[in-house]
Amino acid sequence: TQYCNQLKNQVRQNKRAIKVKPEGDGASDETALQRAGIIRGIEYKSKADAIYDTAGEYAVRGGFGFARVDHDYIDDTTDKQELRLKRVQNPENVYLDPSYVECDGSDAEHGFVIIPLTKEEFEVRFKGKELVSFSDAPTEKDAKDIHICEFYIKEYTESTVGKRTIKKPTVKKYLMSGSEVLKETVFPGKYIPIVPFLGEEVWVEGK
C-alpha cells in the first residue's frame, strides 16, 4: 500500500488537464483558447480532479481505471444540455471493446457500463418494466439490488467525399435490463464515451 500511495500522491501533485492544440485548416490559437476555456468549464463543473485521481489510483492498483463522458441539463430552468465528465467508482463494472489499441480508447467500437440500482429505484425510473437484472445469475426475490446496463455501439453510414467513400459513425446508447431495452438514444459524438486510464501493460503468452 505504501508504494501505491507514493505514486498516487505524485499523480495528485501533478494535476492533469485537457489541453487544446490548433491543427488543420481554419484552426488558430484564438479558437484553441476559446475551446480550452469551454473545456476548463466542463472540468470545473464536473470536479475533474477527483475523476482523474480515482482513475489514476485504479490504474496504479489494478492496471486500469476509467473516466466517462456524459451530458446533462444545465439546470431545471432550461432544456439545454452540456457535456459532463463522470467518475467511475468501480472499474470492474466497465467493459470496453477488447480490440481497441489506442491508449485513449478512441478506436473502441462498443462498451458496456454496469449500473447497480435498488429495486425501488428501478421501479420509480422504469415504471411498468419487468424487474430483471442484467447479470448471469437470475434476480433473487430477496435481493436488494439489481443491475442495468448502458451499452454504447458505433453504427456507420457511408457518404462520398470527392473520390473517397467514408464511413461516418453514430454512437447509439441503449439502456438495458436483463430482458429488454429500457431506453434508446444517440450520444452526441463519434467516440465511445468511456476513457481508459492504463497502468502497466504486460503480454503473457501472446495476450
Side-chain angles (χ1 to χ4, degrees):
T1 299
Q2 72 180 75
Y3 301 112
C4 289
N5 288 339
Q6 288 175 5
L7 188 50
K8 282 161 47 185
N9 289 335
Q10 291 177 19
V11 171
R12 287 175 176 169
Q13 289 171 7
N14 297 278
K15 294 298 183 183
R16 270 56 179 170
I18 298 171
K19 294 181 175 63
V20 180
K21 294 183 178 180
E23 292 183 359
D25 295 336
S28 66
D29 290 338
E30 183 180 353
T31 56
L33 285 172
Q34 290 173 348
R35 292 191 179 198
I38 293 170
I39 291 172
R40 279 197 301 272
I42 293 170
E43 289 183 309
Y44 177 78
K45 289 183 179 180
S46 303
K47 299 180 176 63
D49 284 346
I51 295 169
Y52 302 152
D53 288 346
T54 300
E57 178 179 345
Y58 279 118
V60 171
R61 289 185 177 275
F64 63 93
F66 295 98
R68 297 182 58 199
V69 182
D70 205 347
H71 54 98
D72 200 358
Y73 293 105
I74 295 174
D75 54 44
D76 292 336
T77 64
T78 179
D79 60 354
K80 292 183 179 179
Q81 298 192 36
E82 61 186 358
L83 289 173
R84 295 285 175 86
L85 302 175
K86 283 193 172 182
R87 190 166 77 106
V88 175
Q89 292 177 287
N90 182 2
E92 293 186 358
N93 279 346
V94 178
Y95 300 88
L96 189 58
D97 178 4
S99 65
Y100 81 87
V101 176
E102 300 297 333
C103 290
D104 59 1
S106 57
D107 56 335
E109 294 292 317
H110 62 266
F112 294 85
V113 181
I114 306 299
I115 302 171
L117 292 177
T118 65
K119 290 183 176 179
E120 290 76 13
E121 287 175 320
F122 181 92
E123 290 171 347
V124 169
R125 288 181 59 181
F126 309 108
K127 191 173 182 179
K129 299 293 185 180
E130 189 177 5
L131 194 68
V132 180
S133 184
F134 189 93
S135 63
D136 293 333
T139 304
E140 298 180 8
K141 291 183 179 180
D142 58 348
K144 294 182 179 180
D145 298 334
I146 69 167
H147 294 92
I148 61 174
C149 172
E150 286 183 3
F151 173 53
Y152 299 89
I153 187 168
K154 291 181 182 177
E155 297 182 1
Y156 293 90
T157 55
E158 290 189 352
S159 61
T160 302
V161 177
K163 297 180 179 180
R164 293 191 305 151
T165 298
I166 62 171
K167 293 183 176 181
K168 183 179 179 181
T170 298
V171 178
K172 292 289 188 70
K173 176 182 177 181
Y174 299 91
L175 193 61
M176 302 184 294
S177 69
S179 64
E180 61 185 314
V181 174
L182 303 170
K183 189 176 181 181
E184 177 182 344
T185 55
V186 174
F187 185 82
K190 62 179 182 179
Y191 303 111
I192 302 299
I194 300 169
V195 185
F197 284 59
L198 300 178
E200 185 176 16
E201 291 183 283
V202 179
W203 284 80
V204 179
E205 297 181 355
K207 297 184 179 179

